[in-house]
Amino acid sequence: MVSIGYFLACEEFAPQELVRQAKLAERAGFERLWISDHFHPWQDSQGQAAFVWSVIGALSEAVSLPVGTAVTCPTFRIHPAIIAQASATAAVQLGGRFTLGVGTGEALNEHILGQAWPPAPVRLQMLEEAVTLIRRLHTGKRTTFHGDYYSVDDARIYTLPDEPVPMAVSAFGPVATKTAARIGDAFATASPNAELVQLYRDSGGGQRVVQGGMKVCYAETEEAGLDLAHRLWATELLPGQVPSTLTRPKDFAAAAELVSREAVGRQMVCGPDVERHRAAVQSYVDAGFDELYVQQIGPNQDEFFRVWSEQVLPSFR
């Protein structure tokens, strides 16, 4: 049976509200947490972009749930050696209940230091090298490393959890999925794609954990939920390489104008129909996912947690 967690959206909510939502999620019966890692929101209407490692520190004192990043890019904006230290500290704070989710990132967040944004195959190579370096540093041994993209000189991480920090690798296409199967401890993706799950397992992922994420907008009416979801998260439906190559929130907002309300409604459950919310979860169960993380869009958080606690989560225990 799938383990259902809550997805904390750093792009949409301030740090204090994220911590409040985490507490609500734990009380409601959600079993784990994902948290996004962004320098910019996808578009200005979302309005936030907290530094995730500070929020994780607060979460470690506020809840007892496992926490994972969804996802951190350890290749441009922050050197992988610093991500290795940050993730080790997070794992210590959380008593080993931390998973470092990693991916190739988006120019939206990673271009800010003025580096050139390479094509996807190069970004995958950089991610693989970064994962190798992070794993070496997580051994606690003094490390000197000179790769094609990163170097460290006589570096050692002293604050370490009892066990190495597991790494989940995010992927959305077949090439990246095969890479995830080769280098990761778990696989993260954003749609209930059974073929992608099977490709991961057949490519070496075996029975490792497969994680998925989805957005819903519980609201009094379907129209109200759809209005909010379309205004804040139409960017979720941008195709191909578009989400990884645009550099400014206003560019995402402009591109999102091409996404129809109907398309958003087909991908995200909006409104109060509990059966539709259950069916969305079931689609991930049917596709073979082990963990599912659900994000409630907008301010109606308390009612969402009440309804899911009483009417959705019990169906999947």
Side-chain angles (χ1 to χ4, degrees), residues 189-195 197 213-214 280-287 289:
T189 192
S191 63
N193 187 327
E195 292 182 1
V197 171
M214 75 175 190
V281 175
Q282 188 63 46
S283 68
Y284 284 83
V285 175
D286 294 342
F289 282 73

Side-chain angles (χ1 to χ4, degrees), residues 42-161:
W42 294 102
Q43 51 188 18
D44 289 339
S45 59
Q46 293 172 340
Q48 298 288 335
F51 187 59
V52 72
W53 302 104
S54 298
V55 182
I56 289 170
L59 293 174
S60 73
E61 294 296 315
V63 297
S64 61
L65 299 177
V67 178
T69 54
V71 293
T72 292
C73 178
T75 53
F76 288 92
R77 157 172 60 107
I78 305 180
H79 192 281
I82 306 305
I83 296 298
Q85 184 187 30
S87 57
T89 298
V92 170
Q93 289 175 301
L94 285 156
R97 304 184 314 275
F98 179 73
T99 298
L100 176 61
V102 296
T104 56
E106 302 90 18
L108 172 71
N109 303 302
E110 307 306 325
H111 82 285
I112 60 169
L113 301 182
Q115 298 152 293
W117 187 243
V122 174
R123 300 201 307 271
L124 265 179
Q125 292 169 11
M126 296 176 74
L127 178 64
E128 185 165 357
E129 186 172 298
V131 167
T132 298
L133 176 54
I134 291 168
R135 290 195 191 280
R136 289 193 189 180
L137 288 166
H138 279 173
T139 66
K141 297 177 181 178
R142 291 197 175 278
T143 300
T144 295
F145 181 96
H146 298 291
D148 294 329
Y149 303 101
Y150 308 105
S151 295
V152 297
D153 180 40
D154 200 22
R156 178 185 172 189
I157 294 177
Y158 281 81
T159 300
L160 288 165

Side-chain angles (χ1 to χ4, degrees), residues 11-25:
E11 308 93 326
E12 194 182 335
F13 301 102
Q16 294 89 340
E17 173 61 15
L18 293 170
V19 173
R20 189 185 81 89
Q21 290 174 14
K23 292 178 180 178
L24 291 173

Side-chain angles (χ1 to χ4, degrees), residues 179-190:
T179 301
R182 187 173 68 255
I183 69 174
D185 302 305
F187 172 50
T189 192

